[in-house]
Amino acid sequence: MAYLLILPALLIFLVFTIGPTVFTFIVSTFKWNWLNPDQNKFVGLANYQMLVDGSQDPPFAATLLTSGYFVGAMVVGGTAISLALAMLLRKAGRINVAARTAVFLAHVTPLVATSIVWVWIFNPRFGLANLVMSWFGIPNIDWLGNSRFAMPAVIIYSLWHEIGFTTVIFLGGLTTISTELAEAARLDGCNAWQEFWNVTFPQLRPVVIFVIVVSSVASLQAFTQFFMMTGGGPGFDTATLGFQLYQQAFVFRKTGYAAALAVVLFGITVALSILQLRTTRSLGRNA
C-alpha cells in the first residue's frame, strides 16, 4: 500500500527527471539533428573529445574558467555577505524584521524582470551605477559592453538577488546554536570577533557547507541573468557553462555537444552533493 501511494510521485520523477537525464546521456553520443531525427549519427565519445581538445568556439576550458570565476565570486561573496547580514539581523525587533523582509524580497522577485531593471541601472549613458560613480570622479563605464566589467556587473546583480535566500538559511542556523557557550565565552573576556570565530562559526559549519554547495550548484546552472543582461558577451566573456548549454543547443544547433556539456554539469553537481553529504556526516560524527 505504501508503494502504491507514492507511485504517482515516483512516476512524475521518472518521467520528468530520470528519463530526461538518461536521454541526455544518449544524445551526448550522437551528432544530433533535432529538426530531422533521421539524420542523427552515432559518434560515440566524439562530443567529449571536442570538450578535451577545445575545438569548439568557445573552448570548453575557457567556458569552465568563466564559470569558475562566476561561481567563486558568488560562493565567497554570497556566503560572506549573507553570514554578515544574518549576524546583524539575528536579534528580534521591528526594524530587524523589516530588514529581513527587504533582504528576502529581492530573492523572490522574477529574474527576468529584475535583470531588465539592472540593465537600465548599468546603462553607460544615464544609468544609476554611473551616476553614483560620477560622485567620486570616476568616468562613465560601459558595464555590460566591456569585457573587463561585464562579469562583475552580472555578479553584483546576482549577489543582490541571491543573498536573501542564504541569509534566511544562516538565520535559521543561528537559532540552533548554543547560547550557553556564547555566554561562557563573554564571561571569559572574549570580544565580539573572538566569540564569533571560536564559538558561533564552529557550530555553523554544517550550515556554511550547505550554503556553499547550494550556491555552487545554483551558480553553475545560472542562465537567465546572462541571457537577459549580456547574451554571453561581449564575445564569450560571460558565456558560462549553464549559458553554453542553451547557446550550443539552440543557437549553434550542436545538440550532441550541448548534451555533453550537460553531462559534465551533471557530474560536477553530483560530486558537490556527495562532498556536502560526506562532510556533513563527518562533522556530525565529530560533534
Side-chain angles (χ1 to χ4, degrees):
M1 180 60 68
Y3 287 109
L4 183 62
L5 291 173
I6 66 173
L7 183 60
L10 288 176
L11 289 175
I12 292 173
F13 185 72
L14 178 65
V15 171
F16 292 102
T17 303
I18 300 299
T21 301
V22 174
F23 187 66
T24 300
F25 276 85
I26 296 172
V27 172
S28 70
T29 61
F30 280 81
K31 184 177 181 182
W32 194 269
N33 189 321
W34 50 275
L35 293 177
N36 187 359
D38 292 335
Q39 296 184 6
N40 295 338
K41 179 182 178 183
F42 179 75
V43 294
L45 299 178
N47 289 317
Y48 296 94
Q49 180 63 37
M50 287 189 289
L51 294 178
V52 175
D53 59 29
S55 58
Q56 294 297 310
D57 193 22
F60 174 67
T63 300
L64 206 57
L65 186 62
T66 302
S67 295
Y69 177 16
F70 179 71
V71 171
M74 289 299 297
V75 169
V76 176
T79 303
I81 295 172
S82 57
L83 180 55
L85 286 173
M87 293 296 295
L88 289 173
L89 302 176
R90 62 177 173 171
K91 294 183 179 180
R94 291 183 179 180
I95 295 178
N96 279 354
V97 170
R100 292 177 190 178
T101 304
V103 170
F104 189 69
L105 275 177
H107 177 69
V108 299
T109 53
L111 274 166
V112 173
T114 52
S115 294
I116 294 174
V117 172
W118 278 79
V119 168
W120 284 100
I121 291 175
F122 287 124
N123 187 283
R125 296 180 59 189
F126 43 79
L128 180 62
N130 277 336
L131 175 62
V132 174
M133 301 295 280
S134 68
W135 297 344
F136 301 95
I138 300 174
N140 282 3
I141 298 172
D142 185 5
W143 289 95
L144 301 177
N146 188 304
S147 59
R148 181 181 176 184
F149 296 103
M151 182 61 82
V154 177
I155 289 171
I156 291 171
Y157 162 74
S158 300
L159 286 173
W160 170 84
H161 191 272
E162 298 300 327
I163 59 173
F165 174 69
T166 49
T167 299
V168 169
I169 294 176
F170 278 126
L171 284 170
L174 287 170
T175 62
T176 65
I177 65 175
S178 172
T179 57
E180 289 82 2
L181 291 176
E183 292 173 359
R186 287 192 293 270
L187 289 174
D188 287 339
C190 289
N191 56 35
W193 170 251
Q194 291 172 329
E195 178 189 338
F196 167 77
W197 186 250
N198 296 298
V199 178
T200 304
F201 186 75
Q203 297 181 78
L204 281 178
R205 281 177 184 169
V207 181
V208 172
I209 294 169
F210 175 77
V211 167
I212 289 173
V213 172
V214 169
S215 299
S216 299
V217 172
S219 301
L220 279 170
Q221 299 176 349
F223 166 77
T224 304
Q225 56 266 57
F226 294 102
F227 181 80
M228 296 300 301
M229 297 179 72
T230 64
F236 293 104
D237 289 324
T238 58
T240 59
L241 188 55
F243 182 81
Q244 275 298 300
L245 290 178
Y246 157 79
Q247 193 169 48
Q248 293 293 334
F250 300 108
V251 177
F252 302 146
R253 297 185 180 180
K254 298 175 182 177
T255 310
Y257 179 75
L261 288 173
V263 171
V264 172
L265 180 58
F266 174 80
I268 296 173
T269 303
V270 171
L272 288 172
S273 301
I274 293 174
L275 177 64
Q276 186 261 334
L277 181 62
R278 290 185 175 181
T279 305
T280 303
R281 286 180 177 176
S282 177
L283 290 174
R285 288 193 298 266
N286 295 332

